Amino acid sequence: MSASLSNQQQQNDGPIAVPPSSKDIFLDRTFRTFTTCFAWLTLLLIGYIVWEIGGTALPAIKEMGVGFLTGTTWDPNKGEFGILPQIWGTFYSSLLTLLLGGSFGIAIAVFLTQDFLPNKIQIVLKSTIELLAAIPSVVYGLWGIFVLIPLIRPVANWLHATLGWIPFFSTSLSGPGMFPAALVLSIMILPTVAAISQDALSAIPDKIKEAAYGMGTTRWEAILKVLLPTASRGIFGGLVLGFGRALGETMALAMLVGNSNQLSLSLFSPADTLAALLALNFPEASDYETQILMYAAVVLLFITLAVNIIGELIISYSERSGGKK
Amino acid sequence: MKNTPNFNKSFTDSRALKSIFLSTITVLCAVGACIPLFSVLVMLIMRGGKRLSFELFYALPPTAFDTGGGFGNAIVGTLFMVGIAALIAVPFGILAAIYLAEFGENGKLAEIARFCAKTMTGIPSILAGVLAYAAVVMVTGTYSAIAGGVALSILMIPTIMLTAEESIKMVPSAMREAAVGMGCTKTQVMWKVMLPVAMPGMITGVMLAVARVSGETAPLLFTALFSDYWIFQGGAGDIMEPTASLAVLIYNFSGMPFENQIELAWAASLVLVTMVFIINIISRMLFQKKK
């Protein structure tokens, strides 16, 4: 009965399933080719970025050569340009950031994944931290200038007065400087590091933790000797990405690092980074200076690309083996 | 707490002591890390809220010794440039994502394109500005809203692409197979089945990308520059003129020695962060509803 009914319906409305018409096939081919073009465009876009920035910088690269990377003066009036202090500042600030932001980020990840808190608070705290990652860096910069620097200046100057013989404290903090910049940067990378480390920690099967407890470990013996080593690849990838972000971060540094062309180990002396150099000099640069700044941009591009590609490879490697099983 | 068996509670046991010690340090670290984050929010509300008024939204930025003033033109400029960026990045990102998720599947091209997109998310935002400077400002010979929009779109493309790919991949394969079984071409499956189902996820991705770039300063510094006037005040040609944005206003005013400008910088930060948070929260709610 029902079979004959559906048969009848099919005769009235035509079959439900029809093979595609030649027009459909044509549209299908066109659309597929179209999307393939956009996939290619993604590759081309990266190539274009490198080519365009590199091409504009080429005259400067030819003229200045490697000396640009080792020179220590930046004086447009004399025509002397060198970015060693900026390269140093970029790495120094990023390493400090990694040290501070990394350790706090991992601590937060452990705190949020290892049942220190009831589940609900855990979720609220996790999404709050994610939301804080959305605050624009210029706002952190503003906060750094008007809240953080006045707050840490007395502490920094006390450290300089009492422990001034240690190279790290060899200057006093007069305003902007390396330490406030690194502190703000570490607040900014903290959500990234915390989020990736949390993923790595919660991807560990419960069995592994239970096995550790079963052998009589305390909670922290399990965390330090079993869980963190198991998640280490994912955490390491997160740290590398955070490091990459710190290398390229511009606004917070341009506002807080002091933009002074010096090579110093001191935490409290002003310094400069590649990104801050670009941000401050580009708007008023002459054509000649623009080429030189492009050279600095090429250096920054290659440093960040290298760090990011390494981080990306580590994360995808740890997803394939170990980590997430 | 209750999930974790902790049999050694004795304070004389060194292992238990060590455990308690480390727990305390972690709690302190977590609390310590939250203090600056909340301090930012509190200061925004206190110092920015003090200055909040309607004037901010329709007045132009004040000159050096002026009192009052606002940043209406900067809000419009930000919205306009983010709009341009979205117009470029949304079609680009979604079409590429369709290839990555469906047509290219696990081919070499898809894998490489995905890797490129992931690498692009790590490119510092200032380099997007440098690129737009070389590609647009140097070619057209002027700072403009277009250059700013192009710079922002470079930052949006990879985010949109990767989130759109994820949401297309989350469509249950049974739905696709049913459509294929009816004789649909792959394109028809994509337009009539996959895209409608994946839509909430893709919108979330677009909104997160919009939220991210509306706070970006570095790419705008030397592409859109800044302007003290409304965009389009002088007709449609203003699209090729320097354009104001909230982020650059905050940066410029934060370095000024005038109390009025600094107050405005805080108020602008509050407005900007509120905008970004609202977009973020809406997109998160959208995503959760879909789950």
Side-chain angles (χ1 to χ4, degrees), chain A residues 102-299:
Chain A
S103 47
F104 275 89
I106 294 172
I108 287 192
V110 170
F111 186 61
L112 288 182
T113 50
Q114 301 306 317
D115 306 316
F116 283 93
L117 290 169
N119 230 339
K120 271 190 184 159
I121 302 180
Q122 214 166 294
I123 292 169
V124 171
L125 217 69
K126 199 178 165 195
S127 37
T128 315
I129 290 177
E130 273 170 24
L131 204 58
L132 288 167
I135 294 182
S137 59
V138 70
V139 175
Y140 279 118
L142 188 73
W143 177 80
I145 292 179
F146 292 106
V147 182
L148 186 70
I149 290 183
L151 200 70
I152 61 172
R153 196 189 289 163
V155 184
N157 289 343
W158 178 82
L159 277 173
H160 169 61
T162 41
L163 297 167
W165 50 272
I166 301 175
F168 296 120
F169 306 132
S170 58
T171 52
S172 63
L173 184 73
S174 54
M178 184 57 92
F179 184 64
L183 208 58
V184 169
L185 265 187
S186 38
I187 297 169
M188 291 173 59
I189 70 156
L190 195 127
T192 316
V193 176
I196 298 180
S197 309
Q198 274 175 46
D199 289 345
L201 280 171
S202 43
I204 300 174
D206 284 341
K207 263 190 263 174
I208 291 184
K209 189 159 75 173
E210 282 153 17
Y213 285 146
M215 294 182 68
T217 63
T218 61
R219 173 197 281 189
W220 273 97
E221 281 162 354
I223 291 173
L224 291 178
K225 291 179 185 159
V226 179
L227 297 176
L228 284 179
T230 313
S232 62
R233 276 212 205 118
I235 294 175
F236 187 66
L239 288 177
V240 175
L241 288 188
F243 186 63
R245 215 188 135 187
L247 286 173
E249 174 48 45
T250 314
M251 293 327 293
L253 284 163
M255 292 164 91
L256 294 171
V257 84
N259 310 304
S260 137
N261 203 23
Q262 40 179 297
L263 269 166
S264 166
L265 252 186
S266 169
L267 293 173
F268 305 138
S269 88
D272 202 0
T273 69
L274 285 171
L277 177 85
L278 293 175
L280 286 166
N281 290 303
F282 240 109
E284 283 138 29
S286 61
D287 284 351
Y288 176 65
E289 219 185 323
T290 304
Q291 287 175 4
I292 291 158
L293 287 170
M294 286 286 178
Y295 190 0
V298 170
V299 176

Side-chain angles (χ1 to χ4, degrees), chain A residues 16-21 24-25 27-29 31-32 34-43 45-46 48-50 52-53 56 103-104 107-108 110-111 114-118 125 127-132 134-140 142-143 145-147 187 190-191 213 215-221 224-225 244-245 247-251 254-255 275-276 278-280 282-287 290 293-294 297-298 300-302 304-305 308-309 312-313 316 319-320, chain B residues 1-8 13 15-16 18-20 22-41 43-44 47 91-93 95-96 98-100 103 109 111-113 115-127 130-131 133-135 138 143 154 157 161 181-188 190-191 195 211 214-218 221-222 225 247 250-251 253-256 262 265-266 269 272-273 276-277 280-281 284:
Chain A
I16 310 173
V18 280
S21 66
D24 291 338
I25 291 173
L27 279 178
D28 183 44
R29 293 246 168 88
F31 184 67
R32 280 210 232 177
F34 192 55
T35 56
T36 315
C37 290
F38 275 92
W40 276 108
L41 269 180
T42 318
L43 304 188
L45 191 60
I46 284 245
Y48 178 70
I49 293 174
V50 176
E52 180 76 50
I53 297 179
T56 322
S103 47
F104 275 89
I108 287 192
V110 170
F111 186 61
Q114 301 306 317
D115 306 316
F116 283 93
L117 290 169
L125 217 69
S127 37
T128 315
I129 290 177
E130 273 170 24
L131 204 58
L132 288 167
I135 294 182
S137 59
V138 70
V139 175
Y140 279 118
L142 188 73
W143 177 80
I145 292 179
F146 292 106
V147 182
I187 297 169
L190 195 127
Y213 285 146
M215 294 182 68
T217 63
T218 61
R219 173 197 281 189
W220 273 97
E221 281 162 354
L224 291 178
K225 291 179 185 159
R245 215 188 135 187
L247 286 173
E249 174 48 45
T250 314
M251 293 327 293
M255 292 164 91
L278 293 175
L280 286 166
F282 240 109
E284 283 138 29
S286 61
D287 284 351
T290 304
L293 287 170
M294 286 286 178
V298 170
L300 179 61
L301 181 66
F302 277 100
T304 46
L305 277 184
N308 279 300
I309 289 175
E312 214 44 76
L313 288 175
S316 61
E319 273 171 6
R320 244 173 263 160
Chain B
M1 267 298 206
K2 60 187 166 198
N3 302 340
T4 331
N6 192 354
F7 299 110
N8 278 314
D13 184 65
R15 292 169 64 204
K18 197 175 144 202
S19 204
I20 291 164
L22 284 169
S23 295
T24 322
I25 287 187
T26 314
V27 173
L28 286 180
C29 272
V31 173
C34 288
I35 290 174
L37 294 173
F38 284 105
S39 155
V40 173
L41 291 185
M43 289 307 292
L44 273 180
R47 295 197 62 169
F92 189 132
L95 284 169
I98 290 175
Y99 181 84
L100 292 193
F103 300 150
L109 174 60
E111 201 173 304
I112 297 171
F115 188 78
C116 282
K118 279 185 184 160
T119 315
M120 265 177 76
T121 54
I123 287 184
S125 55
I126 187 138
L127 289 180
V130 172
L131 176 75
Y133 183 85
M138 277 166 77
Y143 299 105
I154 306 244
I157 289 170
M161 202 164 131
M182 312 277 283
C184 283
T185 62
K186 278 198 167 186
T187 304
Q188 286 168 330
M190 184 46 74
W191 281 99
L195 287 184
S214 30
E216 283 291 350
T217 318
L221 273 181
F222 42 86
L225 220 63
I250 298 170
Y251 173 63
F253 279 10
S254 73
M256 287 190 181
I262 290 171
W266 280 102
S269 302
L272 184 62
V273 169
V276 170
F277 273 14
N280 251 294
I281 290 168
R284 268 163 219 275

Side-chain angles (χ1 to χ4, degrees), chain A residues 36-94:
Chain A
T36 315
C37 290
F38 275 92
W40 276 108
L41 269 180
T42 318
L43 304 188
L44 288 180
L45 191 60
I46 284 245
Y48 178 70
I49 293 174
V50 176
W51 180 77
E52 180 76 50
I53 297 179
T56 322
L58 205 59
I61 298 179
K62 275 189 188 143
E63 190 193 320
M64 323 271 292
V66 189
F68 184 59
L69 304 179
T70 52
T72 53
T73 44
W74 182 279
D75 190 345
N77 298 325
K78 284 189 204 153
E80 272 183 61
F81 299 97
I83 52 165
L84 189 64
Q86 281 76 18
I87 296 179
W88 161 255
T90 304
F91 278 104
Y92 193 39
S93 63
S94 303

